[in-house]
Amino acid sequence: MSDCPNCGAPRSGRYCEIDGHDFETPGRVGAPTFEMPAAPRHTWLRPMIPPPRPGRGRPGPLTAVINADRDYHTSVIALEGPDSAALVFPPYCPERRVRLSGGEVRIGRRGGSEIDLGVLPEDPGVSHLHAVLLGQPDGTWVLVDPGSTNGTTLNGGSEPIPVNVPVPVGAGDRIHVGAWTTITLAPPGGPS
């Protein structure tokens, strides 16, 4: 298998995980096997971001509670993407918790992600680097999608957050990525 001619990333399938290059149709950037509809990226059109939740953005430590979310999976299947019929909800996926610390917490598959969604059952809709949580000097957190293939949504919203635009998040917010993963932000030791 050859590396991507655009970015040099190793080939792991038909499409490059980094920039979407289509290895089978040179010169074309194609759709991934699983794709949510693209949001308009015009600067004058901003996707609707769900309204703030009470207490959101207050400084303090947070824990990411990672779950396979059947309701989110059902909404992904309802979009009827190219391979949605093949997206089977995992029969067993234990809850995991990751304490947010430092200035950056990466969400992705493999390769150094603190929230690694490449462990079994691997969520096929998650990019290698899907999203990043960035700690702010005042103790709050923002979420950034650096250009994931399938987008990142918040709090049950249907529109992906804008690419490379920091979105404030806090306790109680739900981050939806991939085909079934929901990451709920909670105070350490608090309910999910």
Side-chain angles (χ1 to χ4, degrees):
M1 292 190 157
S2 61
D3 292 343
C4 177
N6 297 332
C7 69
R11 181 177 177 172
S12 62
R14 177 175 176 176
Y15 300 99
C16 175
E17 287 284 334
I18 305 299
D19 64 16
H21 172 77
D22 185 342
F23 288 98
E24 294 178 17
T25 309
R28 178 177 160 239
V29 175
T33 337
F34 163 72
E35 178 179 304
M36 293 178 74
R41 298 293 184 211
H42 304 290
T43 55
W44 64 89
L45 294 175
R46 296 270 183 217
M48 168 123 171
I49 297 172
R53 298 171 60 92
R56 176 190 200 180
R58 276 191 285 183
L62 291 174
T63 296
V65 182
I66 303 123
N67 282 300
D69 180 341
R70 186 171 294 281
D71 290 337
Y72 173 60
H73 176 256
T74 301
S75 70
V76 168
I77 297 300
L79 294 174
E80 297 180 353
D83 285 341
S84 62
L87 296 174
V88 178
F89 189 77
Y92 177 71
C93 187
E95 175 181 285
R96 294 185 293 141
R97 291 176 177 259
V98 174
R99 182 163 178 149
L100 303 186
S101 62
E104 177 180 299
V105 177
R106 294 174 301 251
I107 301 167
R109 284 189 296 130
R110 305 178 209 116
S113 293
E114 289 79 12
I115 299 177
D116 185 357
L117 302 173
V119 297
L120 293 177
E122 183 174 338
D123 188 326
V126 174
S127 298
H128 284 277
L129 177 60
H130 197 99
V132 181
L133 287 159
L134 298 172
Q136 302 301 290
D138 65 356
T140 59
W141 290 86
V142 296
L143 175 68
V144 176
D145 184 321
S148 67
T149 302
N150 297 313
T152 302
T153 59
L154 273 176
N155 301 322
S158 60
E159 291 294 324
I161 64 172
V163 171
N164 284 325
V165 174
V167 176
V169 292
D173 282 322
R174 293 171 294 123
I175 302 165
H176 308 286
V177 297
W180 56 68
T181 303
T182 293
I183 301 164
T184 304
L185 301 179
S192 55

